[in-house]
Amino acid sequence: LGPDAPVTDLITLTRHTLSEQRRHASASGDLTLLLVSLQLSCKYVSSLVRRAGLANVTGLAGGGPNIQGEKVQRLDVLANEVFMNSLRTSGRAAVLVSEEDENAFFVTAAPEGSPDADSRPGRYVVCFDPLDGSSNIDCGVSIGSIFGIYRLPEGSDGTSLERDVLRPGTELMAAGYALYGSFTGLVLATGDGVNGYTLDPSLGEFILTHPSMRIPSRGNIYSINEGNASKWGPAVTRWVNHCKFPEAPTADAEGKPLAGLDEATLKVTHPLRPAGSLAVRADEHDNHGTRKPRSLRYVGSMVADVHRTFLHGGVFAYPADRSSPNGKLRILYEVLPMAFLCEQAGGRCTTGLKRALAIRPDKLHARTGIFLGSALDVAEVERMYQDEE
Ligand code: AHM
Ligand code: MG
């Protein structure tokens, strides 16, 4: 048929997770079944998104703001119902946490006579943001869904918020997101790297298109809402200025100050650099010493900004600032799943001062500041925070 003939041996998401599962003899298959429910949710939300302008699903929902004080869109409500219904009846979920709901939902056996009468609570906790980037719904800009999956601790019956749900990302078993953009994609990590799948709309199946995704160790993009600049602390201001007006290397690869550069000169040529710091070594200098300013890209949908960062490198940031001392993004269903994916793809994710994945939220909708992306670029942000200490 020639080299242009359609591929007939497709690796679907289900085929791929089943084959991964066979490689781990201890796996029970439960995670694969849970992922079937999550896939269905993402496909359903994708189909609602594609029809959004026509099918009366855009606009604000009645009922006022949600628990976070944010406006709720009709599509937020629909997406939440889609995820809730599919996971609740999957027989694999024990606890469900959604951005849209104030309280966690503890799954119980389905009532007699219902279509799922035989479904029982399972062993997994799923934390999800059913529709992230709601402010972009009505203008046709990319949005997404995010999820993180924990297994119940040994011996737990899945009834305790503290023991079963409020856990750091280091205990995540899997995490993923769906992107509803120029195509519908699903990116997934189950503890063994990150894989990207693209929805084939004619088949209704996610097909493996981006196996073993790796984030470039450096990128030339920074992504942040600059409208918040007046509220940033010094480290964020210095980092963003550094992205726009890159500093030349000030020391050689051994950290020895370059000839002609003393502290007095540095203060003049690098007004943003704290005194006593000759930290920009030639070998770790961004843009390989070219001093080319970085490009700004900011969609305002975390999934889209993170996905671009995974593919092209750079840093996505939503830092804590003076008016939001804990940042904006929620730990359980936005930050930790993305931090898990990021580290699994060889990237780095920090609050500025500590590894994001290690954070244990103290409540369901707790927030934190976050910088995520290319390992060397994020390390540079961390150095700027350390300089402020
Ligand atoms: P949402 O879950 O209510 O949509 O809010 C989260 C979104 C993220 O997708 C995005 O990174 C951020 O909010 C954008 O916030 P801002 O508009 O303040 O830049
Ligand atoms: Mg969100």
Side-chain angles (χ1 to χ4, degrees), residues 70 99-100 129-134 144 146 302 328-330 333-334:
E70 292 159 352
E99 177 189 315
E100 293 303 325
D129 181 350
L131 201 77
D132 185 62
S134 319
I146 310 170
M302 185 190 200
K328 173 177 184 186
L329 300 175
R330 275 60 51 116
Y333 41 80
E334 289 173 332

Side-chain angles (χ1 to χ4, degrees), residues 129 131-137 141-144 300-302:
D129 181 350
L131 201 77
D132 185 62
S134 319
S135 67
N136 280 325
I137 294 173
V141 176
S142 300
I143 46 186
S301 285
M302 185 190 200

